[in-house]
Amino acid sequence: MLDFQFMQQCVPIFAKALSLTLYISFFGILLSLLIGFVCAWILFLKVPFVRYLVNAYVEVARNTPLLIQLFFLYYGLHGVMGISLSEYVCAITGLAFLGGGYMCESFRTGLESMSKSQIESAQSIGLSSFQMMRYVILPQSLGVALPSIGANVIFLLKETSVVGVIALADMMFVTKDIITNYYKTNEALLMLILSYLVVLLPLSFVFSLLEKSYKKRVL
């Protein structure tokens, strides 16, 4: 039998851990969106030399686990270069680095969905590069990229479960701590699952609505 009274006592602990997870996720995902868009735009424009650096970054970001990136930022930088970063900065930076690679691919898919005829038509009516981006490229490319972006946001939020390795009391860290100290494995794991579902299910629903609404208005 589950100890529901114990679970009720743990609610404030998980609420605090959840707020930490959301804090890290918010800034990490926000930065990853910015990095991803800039990198995708560089690849779309085929900027000489820089695009090769961007491609290298995307491959490294997408093919190395967040756990390894956090170890490098928190322990490696200090050991090799003497640079010490706080746990929060490491977690946000690692998430942004990882997410930037995935977001770049999402944005690039959207940008590459644009036909040359649409771009040429925009140029023929005298639109500037900014106007073409604002009124032609961005609205249509976002409609294509939005499902992938939504999936990446959910993926990155779940990836924060490893930040406990750098001593941040996230939900996974709290769960393991409760299991170790109180031997309430089932209760702790159920609380962990429910905590993630409280965030991820509404987020998934919101992105689904955004996708449908955006396609009706733009595509």
Side-chain angles (χ1 to χ4, degrees):
M1 292 290 291
L2 292 173
D3 188 344
F4 290 103
Q5 184 177 359
F6 177 81
M7 292 174 65
Q8 186 176 1
Q9 293 172 353
C10 290
V11 168
I13 300 173
F14 274 93
K16 185 177 180 180
L18 179 59
S19 67
L20 171 66
T21 296
L22 293 176
Y23 175 84
I24 293 170
S25 299
F26 176 79
F27 289 103
I29 292 171
L30 190 65
L31 287 173
S32 73
L33 286 168
L34 178 61
I35 294 169
F37 181 76
V38 171
C39 290
W41 188 240
I42 290 171
L43 295 177
F44 180 69
L45 295 178
K46 298 180 179 178
V47 180
F49 181 69
V50 181
R51 62 174 174 158
Y52 298 109
L53 295 177
V54 170
N55 275 323
Y57 155 68
V58 170
E59 290 301 316
V60 171
R62 283 164 54 89
N63 291 288
T64 53
L66 179 59
L67 183 65
I68 303 301
Q69 295 170 8
L70 292 176
F71 271 124
F72 174 76
L73 289 169
Y74 194 66
Y75 300 107
L77 284 180
H78 179 71
V80 176
M81 305 175 64
I83 299 175
S84 295
L85 300 176
S86 71
E87 295 87 350
Y88 289 95
V89 172
C90 285
I92 292 171
T93 303
L95 198 64
F97 181 85
L98 174 70
Y102 283 93
M103 292 299 182
C104 174
E105 291 299 299
S106 297
F107 282 118
R108 181 163 66 169
T109 300
L111 291 172
E112 290 179 350
S113 69
M114 293 291 301
S115 64
K116 290 184 179 180
S117 61
Q118 289 177 304
I119 297 175
E120 290 171 356
S121 298
Q123 291 172 334
S124 67
I125 61 175
L127 292 182
S128 65
S129 297
F130 176 78
Q131 289 174 324
M132 188 165 58
M133 167 60 74
R134 169 67 179 82
Y135 298 109
V136 180
I137 297 176
L138 195 57
Q140 295 190 59
S141 63
L142 274 179
V144 175
L146 196 57
S148 179
I149 291 173
N152 287 338
V153 169
I154 292 173
F155 162 73
L156 292 173
L157 216 159
K158 291 188 289 186
E159 280 292 289
T160 58
S161 61
V162 302
V163 300
V165 299
I166 54 174
L168 284 173
D170 71 317
M171 292 188 293
M172 184 64 74
F173 182 93
V174 166
T175 300
K176 290 188 289 187
D177 194 47
I178 290 174
I179 293 173
T180 301
N181 293 326
Y182 300 99
Y183 304 102
K184 298 285 188 178
T185 303
N186 294 332
E187 288 82 357
L189 291 176
L190 180 58
M191 291 290 291
L192 176 65
I193 293 170
L194 292 175
S195 297
Y196 274 112
L197 288 178
V198 163
V199 177
L200 295 179
L201 285 180
L203 192 60
S204 178
F205 180 70
V206 167
F207 271 108
S208 179
L209 288 180
L210 282 176
E211 180 188 345
K212 292 177 182 178
S213 175
Y214 198 86
K215 284 184 176 179
K216 286 181 180 178
R217 288 185 298 166
V218 179
L219 301 181

